Structure formats: C-alpha cells, structure tokens
C-alpha cells in the first residue's frame, strides 16, 4: 500500500500523539498542511492518536500491575474501590 504525502503526514500526526512527542507533532502538522490536509483531517488524526495513546497506557498499567502481583484497574468494581481495599485504583 502506498500513501500520498498528505496521508503519510496524517498517520505521522497520530503516531506523534501516541508517542507523546511535541516536536514531531509540530513538524508533521506543518507538513500535513503543506500537503493540503484540512483542519478537520488534522483534528481527526490527533483524536485517533489520543485514543491509541490512552489504550496503550491502559495496557501498560495492566501489565505493570500484573508484574507487581496487584489487581489491575479493570478488576475494580467501582471508581476508587476494588477487591484489594482500594489501594490499586
């Protein structure tokens, strides 16, 4: 699959967000605009990157909890309360 410059930069915007790299984000937003990306397309790419970053952070938190032998956040029955007495949430 081959992407044109605009779509390559939109993908890079999402990757910059998920990697939490502001210099990369600034660069790729500028390049995307140079390739004709609209503000709506750039906003969508940013939102996708944010979704990916949140998912990755959640998975890493789950993994870290497992390594420590602690219940994961997903085992919490309600906000800030879980089977361990609330110390993991």
């Amino acid at each position: 699959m081959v992407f044109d410059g605009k779509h390559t930069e939109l993908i890079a915007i999402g990757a910059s967000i998920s990697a939490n790299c502001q210099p990369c984000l600034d660069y790729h937003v500028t390049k995307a605009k140079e390739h004709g990306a609209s503000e709506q397309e750039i906003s969508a790419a940013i939102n996708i990157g944010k979704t990916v970053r949140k998912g990755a952070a959640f998975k890493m938190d789950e993994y870290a909890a497992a390594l420590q032998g602690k219940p994961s956040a997903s085992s919490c029955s309600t906000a800030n309360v879980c089977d361990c007495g609330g110390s993991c949430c």
Side-chain angles (χ1 to χ4, degrees):
M1 181 180 280
V2 178
F3 296 102
D4 63 14
K6 177 176 87 168
H7 290 99
T8 300
E9 294 303 330
L10 291 171
I11 291 167
I13 287 170
S16 298
I17 290 286
S18 63
N20 209 30
C21 183
Q22 185 176 350
C24 293
L25 178 61
D26 292 339
Y27 173 82
H28 291 296
V29 166
T30 299
K31 291 306 235 178
K33 288 178 180 178
E34 288 176 7
H35 285 287
S38 69
E39 292 297 325
Q40 184 177 4
E41 291 171 315
I42 291 169
S43 178
I46 288 171
N47 288 334
I48 290 168
K50 288 166 65 175
T51 299
V52 170
R53 183 180 64 202
K54 287 178 187 174
F58 178 79
K59 292 290 185 185
M60 185 55 74
D61 289 346
E62 294 272 307
Y63 181 67
L67 288 175
Q68 294 175 314
K70 295 181 179 178
S72 65
S74 64
S75 68
C76 295
S77 55
T78 61
N80 299 322
V81 179
C82 68
D83 297 335
C84 70
S87 64
C88 72
C89 301

